[in-house]
Amino acid sequence: QHVPSQMLAFEMVFKVISKLIVIALPIAQLVIGGKYLHQCPVQPYIPIYLLVSGGFSLALTFLSCLPCAQESEDGSQSTLSSLCTAWNSLVTLFLFCWFIAGNVWIYSIYQPNYVPDQAAYCAKVLYLFAFWTTTVVYIFLGMLLVGGCCALFCMCVCGSSGLSNDPDRV
């Protein structure tokens, strides 16, 4: 009886810590995008990209904490739950499209001039933050792809070693 309450407490602590980690990047995007809003004349959409993606990511994270985003215990979906799912899907689709637009804005000016009042200027902190947060997404996706391929390979190898030559086995 005492073990399940400890597991629930651990699960709750894990959820809180993971949510705090997840909201750290959007908060940083909002702070840096706001602070350097007019300090990238070569590509003025970069701070706007950070502000919008930070705001929408933060909203999506907070919406996932609402009761309407949680699954019910009996597995049924209410109208409110369906509405939350549709909203989350639309915001996620928007963030994906916005991420692609941000890639174009960030990578198209690589590497800008970091000296103010010169041609092709962009604030160094702003540009490098946008560049590396975008690049880390690709690094993470690459690691996920390699890990998935390795797992698939291991499943195929381990699965094929368990096969028998019995023709009656399906």
Side-chain angles (χ1 to χ4, degrees):
Q1 187 81 20
H2 193 64
V3 174
S5 65
Q6 286 179 338
M7 287 300 282
L8 285 174
F10 175 74
E11 185 178 330
M12 181 64 100
V13 168
F14 178 76
K15 284 183 178 181
V16 168
I17 290 172
S18 65
K19 291 286 183 190
L20 289 174
I21 291 170
V22 167
I23 65 169
L25 180 62
I27 290 173
Q29 288 176 318
L30 288 169
V31 168
I32 291 174
K35 183 176 180 181
Y36 296 98
L37 186 58
H38 301 291
Q39 295 185 25
C40 190
V42 68
Q43 186 46 271
Y45 290 124
I46 291 176
I48 294 168
Y49 163 72
L50 290 177
L51 286 169
V52 171
S53 55
F56 272 85
S57 296
L58 210 53
L60 192 64
T61 302
F62 285 135
L63 287 175
S64 72
C65 296
L66 294 177
C68 68
Q70 314 298 323
E71 288 185 24
S72 63
E73 291 183 21
D74 62 357
S76 64
Q77 263 196 322
S78 67
T79 305
L80 184 59
S81 177
S82 297
L83 187 64
C84 279
T85 301
W87 174 254
N88 286 344
S89 299
L90 285 173
V91 171
T92 302
L93 177 64
F94 169 76
L95 282 172
F96 174 72
C97 295
W98 192 248
F99 177 74
I100 292 171
N103 278 261
V104 172
W105 297 326
I106 293 164
Y107 292 128
S108 68
I109 63 165
Y110 183 82
Q111 180 153 1
N113 189 342
Y114 299 128
V115 179
D117 300 325
Q118 294 205 358
Y121 167 71
C122 192
K124 187 173 186 175
V125 171
L126 171 71
Y127 184 78
L128 290 178
F129 179 79
F131 177 84
W132 281 109
T133 53
T134 303
T135 303
V136 163
V137 170
Y138 285 111
I139 292 169
F140 178 72
L141 288 175
M143 289 172 35
L144 218 56
L145 181 67
V146 168
C149 288
C150 288
L152 187 61
F153 177 75
C154 289
M155 287 172 33
C156 288
V157 168
C158 292
S160 65
S161 66
L163 293 177
S164 70
N165 291 333
D166 186 4
D168 293 334
R169 189 171 180 188
V170 178

